[in-house]
Amino acid sequence: MPRPPLARRASSLLRRGAVRALSAPLEGGEVELRLRAAMALAGRQTTHPWRFALNELLLRHGVRSYVAKRTGRRIVLRHPMSDAWVVHEVLERGAYAPPPEVAAAVRGLGRPPRVLDLGAHVGTTTLLLLETWPDASITAVEPNPHNARLLRRMIELNDLGDRVDLREVAVGVAPGEVRIAGFSILSHVERDEFETTDLWPFLRRIHGEPQAADVPRIDAFDVLADADVVKLDIEGAEWEILADPRLRDAAPRAIVLEFHWQSCPGDDAATEAARLLREAGFETGPPFDEHDGVGMLWAWRPAA
C-alpha cells in the first residue's frame, strides 16, 4: 500500500537533510564517520541499497556491480570507501547537473554534443553525462589502470562501445610519460606535495599502500579540439591546462571543473580557477560543492 503523502514528504525531508549534513565541510575526527555514512547513503541510488550500504559499513573489500535507479544502467565499483563517494557525489547530490547557460549552449549546437570526460574514474559521471545528453558521444580518459579496468567493464555491461571511447592515458600540456600514484578518486600525477591520504590517514588504513604506475601522457589540447563539453577532474593537474594560452582558442562550449588545492598557483583555488577560465574567454558560475580546498564550477562561452 502506498505511503500517505505526509509520510512521503517527511521521508523526503529527512533524506535531504541527511545529504546536506553529509555534504558539509569535513573537520577533525568526524571525517571518517561522515564519509562512511555518506557512502552508505549512496546505495539509495541503486536497486540494491541495503547490499550496497552493508558492503560499505562493514568494510567488505571487493568489486561489485549495481544497477543505477535513474538510468537502469550498471555501475561497477570497489568497496569500501572511495568509489562509493563518487556515487554519492554524482548520483545522490547531482553535482554535475548543468546550469541553464550550459544547457542552452549545447542546444545551440543543433547536433548531439561531443563530450570529453577527463578523469573518468570508473564511469559514474560518464553515465550521468549520457543521461543528461542521451545522444552524446563521449571520450572517457582515465590514466589509473585499476580504475580503467572497471570503466571498461562498465562500458561492456551497458553495451556502450559505440558511444564511449575509452583512452587509458593521462593528459597534460605536452605528450610524454608520467607516474600515476594514489588509488580510486585520489589518483594523481606523482608530485612532492601533501595529499589527501596524508591528511586523512584512515584511507591508507582501509585501502593499504596505493600502487603507482607509469602511463603515457597525451597533449590535452589534442582531445579538447573535438569536444563541445568537457568535464575536467584530474586531481591538481588541471592548473597547467587552465593556464595554457591555447585554452582561449579551444573548441569547448562548456567546462565543468573540479579544482584542487594541490599545485594551485594562487592562495585560493576557487578564485584562481575562475580567473584562469575568464582569461580564456569563458563566463563562470559560482563555485559549489566546496570542501577542504576542493570544489567545482561550471564555465561556458558567452552567446554570440
Side-chain angles (χ1 to χ4, degrees), residues 137-158:
S137 59
I138 295 188
T139 299
V141 178
E142 174 53 50
N144 181 300
H146 306 288
N147 293 345
R149 183 169 61 249
L150 299 186
L151 174 54
R152 186 174 297 281
R153 181 61 177 151
M154 182 279 290
I155 293 170
E156 293 170 349
L157 287 173
N158 293 294

Side-chain angles (χ1 to χ4, degrees), residues 200-241:
W200 298 345
F202 64 86
L203 291 173
R204 289 185 184 274
R205 187 186 75 239
I206 291 171
H207 290 286
E209 192 65 28
Q211 295 180 330
D214 295 317
V215 302
R217 181 184 63 192
I218 63 171
D219 188 332
F221 289 88
D222 289 343
V223 285
L224 284 167
D226 296 322
D228 301 307
V229 179
V230 176
K231 170 242 177 176
L232 180 58
D233 179 7
I234 52 177
E235 300 300 314
E238 66 271 11
W239 297 110
E240 63 176 5
I241 296 173

Side-chain angles (χ1 to χ4, degrees), residues 152-199:
R152 186 174 297 281
R153 181 61 177 151
M154 182 279 290
I155 293 170
E156 293 170 349
L157 287 173
N158 293 294
D159 195 24
L160 290 172
D162 61 337
R163 304 281 307 283
V164 180
D165 176 22
L166 171 59
R167 302 192 188 184
E168 299 181 43
V169 295
V171 293
V173 295
E177 186 176 81
V178 294
R179 191 163 182 81
I180 296 293
F183 42 73
S184 185
I185 58 173
L186 302 178
S187 295
H188 57 272
V189 175
E190 197 168 57
R191 58 204 167 200
D192 186 19
E193 286 190 74
F194 265 19
E195 299 295 342
T196 305
T197 46
D198 300 317
L199 299 173

